[in-house]
Amino acid sequence: MLFLIALTVAIKDVPRISASGSPVAAIMRDQLGPVMERGLLVAITFAFFGAGVVTMAACARLVFAMARDGRFPAHRMMRRVSPRTRTPVPATVLIFALGVVLMVALPGAALLELITASTILPALIYGATIVLYLAVRGRLGRRKGAFDLGHFELPVAIAALVWTLVALFVLVSPREAFVSVVSVVGLLLVGGLFFLVMLMVDREALETEPGEMNEAFRP
């Protein structure tokens, strides 16, 4: 956020920067010169690589967790863990392969739309998690010694929800975000369809607490 604020303040010519294909590089070149620009772009490249690795690992763990509980296609394969590395190799390979296919198959503009959609989906997930928490918080048990916000619990939850709604508004309000919004709606419909199929085909997997199934699904 601080980096974005500094970039915005440093813009000398808003129309020219807005029309640039690489606005961040253009701003840094105007302010710091080409040598510093290249150095910062190298650092940003490493940062993006790290973020990509973290995203791949997080998605692989989500696939593994759903497969472990019988809630993912081909779950018997996707829940396997390598005895040597103790990592979910099939799930990781799946996420990596999907990423490569999308990078190769989609043109630059479409890939950018997908990246924008990938910022909308987490905000929706965070917002849904907060709403669910607010709906069930009265029925949640309290563990002695566990982290507790005390009287600040409800204000913090409401503030987080408001922040998420503002972030969603910022992401979906521009006209340029229309394709990304349609992509998100499509993904949600696919997820809803899969949920309905699970309800009809394997309802027990959805109604059983994950902790009760872990022993049966231990690799």
Side-chain angles (χ1 to χ4, degrees):
M1 179 65 72
L2 293 176
F3 180 64
L4 292 176
I5 292 173
L7 284 175
T8 304
V9 172
I11 296 176
K12 294 180 178 180
D13 187 343
V14 174
R16 180 175 64 83
I17 295 299
S18 300
S20 172
S22 303
V24 174
I27 296 169
M28 291 192 296
R29 184 168 56 252
D30 290 344
Q31 292 291 338
L32 304 173
V35 176
M36 186 63 73
E37 172 206 357
R38 293 190 188 96
L40 289 174
L41 288 178
V42 169
I44 291 173
T45 300
F46 277 101
F48 268 85
F49 176 78
V53 171
V54 170
T55 301
M56 186 175 69
C59 291
R61 267 57 179 180
L62 285 173
V63 170
F64 164 75
M66 293 181 66
R68 175 199 60 198
D69 302 329
R71 302 171 184 177
F72 196 82
H75 61 269
R76 288 182 176 83
M77 176 184 294
M78 292 300 149
R79 71 189 183 205
R80 292 178 183 171
V81 175
S82 168
R84 184 174 65 86
T85 63
R86 304 302 299 169
T87 56
V89 174
T92 304
V93 171
L94 173 66
I95 297 301
F96 176 76
L98 285 175
V100 171
V101 169
L102 290 174
M103 290 283 290
V104 173
L106 295 179
L111 189 61
L112 184 61
E113 298 289 354
L114 188 62
I115 292 173
T116 304
S118 70
T119 62
I120 298 174
L121 276 172
L124 284 173
I125 295 171
Y126 298 150
T129 302
I130 298 169
V131 170
L132 179 62
Y133 167 73
L134 290 173
V136 303
R137 60 185 293 268
R139 303 197 299 271
L140 295 177
R142 304 287 180 178
R143 292 185 178 181
K144 185 178 180 180
F147 176 78
D148 192 346
L149 289 173
H151 296 299
F152 292 100
E153 175 184 351
L154 186 59
V156 167
I158 294 175
L161 180 60
V162 171
W163 174 265
T164 305
L165 293 175
V166 171
L168 278 172
F169 175 77
V170 171
L171 290 170
V172 305
S173 57
R175 288 182 299 175
E176 295 81 3
F178 176 75
V179 176
S180 299
V181 172
V182 172
S183 301
V184 169
V185 172
L187 289 171
L188 291 176
L189 290 176
V190 171
L193 179 61
F194 176 70
F195 178 75
L196 291 177
V197 171
M198 287 290 295
L199 278 178
M200 294 184 292
V201 175
D202 193 2
R203 191 185 187 98
E204 183 181 358
L206 296 178
E207 295 180 344
T208 306
E209 287 292 332
E212 300 173 9
M213 307 177 73
N214 286 348
E215 291 300 324
F217 290 160
R218 189 181 298 277

